[in-house]
Amino acid sequence: PATFPGPIDLEPLFDKNNPGQLKEHLVDDLDYALVPARVWEKLLQWYGLVEGQEPIKRRVVEQGMFVKHCRVEVYLLALKLKLHGQEETKPVLRGFSRADTVQDLLEAMKDVFSIDSDTECRVWNSFTATSMDELSNKKETLQECNLFENQIVVLE
């Protein structure tokens, strides 16, 4: 006889102290299973998702400097977003795929800081309080920009 396990519950994957952040050191095939989008859609049809939860969508990204290989990016790149002229305010922490482009980052930052999408803006990679580089190539990926975890990015 078939048994119904109930709706899919993603809560055990998240850090209780950091809402929206995955727990550190989750292990593939032990803590979670990676499934193609079509399989996920079928699972949702059959079992549903615990009310109030959102699916965890991830991308396949190319990794490696010399030997390239494709992997599912389970953990997103955490960036600290700031608005130019408000350097003293606490940054907004957001996760991005390393395959996202500078244009994707720019649009997300405009959304975070409630700036009209038509407003001309620039994005800066902030190494220190006095050293910044403009991320001018909008088609470049965040990985190609060599951004690192918890990097401060400034919207001007």
Side-chain angles (χ1 to χ4, degrees):
T3 59
F4 180 73
I8 300 166
D9 186 4
L10 303 175
E11 184 182 348
L13 300 176
F14 289 97
D15 183 341
K16 290 184 185 350
N17 298 322
N18 275 320
Q21 297 284 2
L22 291 177
K23 288 180 181 175
E24 292 183 21
H25 313 297
L26 293 173
V27 178
D28 186 17
D29 292 330
L30 179 64
D31 297 309
Y32 63 89
L34 297 171
V35 296
R38 292 174 71 184
V39 172
W40 175 253
E41 293 303 323
K42 198 54 119 172
L43 289 169
L44 282 180
Q45 272 182 351
W46 291 338
Y47 304 110
L49 189 61
V50 168
E51 191 173 326
Q53 293 184 358
E54 293 291 323
I56 303 170
K57 296 179 183 179
R58 293 297 185 255
R59 293 162 104 174
V60 174
V61 296
E62 191 176 77
Q63 293 182 331
M65 295 225 20
F66 303 108
V67 177
K68 302 285 186 189
H69 57 278
C70 293
R71 301 191 79 175
V72 173
E73 181 182 42
V74 175
Y75 292 95
L76 298 176
L77 175 65
L79 296 176
K80 294 179 178 178
L81 312 180
K82 295 193 118 191
L83 191 58
H84 181 68
Q86 297 182 1
E87 283 76 9
E88 283 73 38
T89 61
K90 187 176 178 185
V92 176
L93 190 64
R94 279 290 187 315
F96 293 89
S97 170
R98 287 159 184 81
D100 283 339
T101 63
V102 172
Q103 182 65 38
D104 297 327
L105 174 61
L106 174 63
E107 290 170 8
M109 291 181 77
K110 284 181 177 182
D111 187 53
V112 164
F113 296 115
S114 302
I115 295 173
D116 188 75
S117 61
D118 295 332
T119 304
E120 181 106 8
C121 294
R122 296 187 294 181
V123 180
W124 297 83
N125 178 5
S126 178
F127 301 107
T128 65
T130 58
S131 176
M132 296 198 309
D133 257 351
E134 183 181 0
L135 301 176
S136 57
N137 183 350
K138 304 277 192 291
K139 294 181 181 178
E140 198 170 37
T141 66
L142 301 184
Q143 181 168 309
E144 292 166 336
C145 292
N146 296 315
L147 295 178
F148 56 87
E149 192 75 12
N150 291 314
Q151 175 77 42
I152 295 174
V153 183
V154 179
L155 182 67
E156 176 188 39

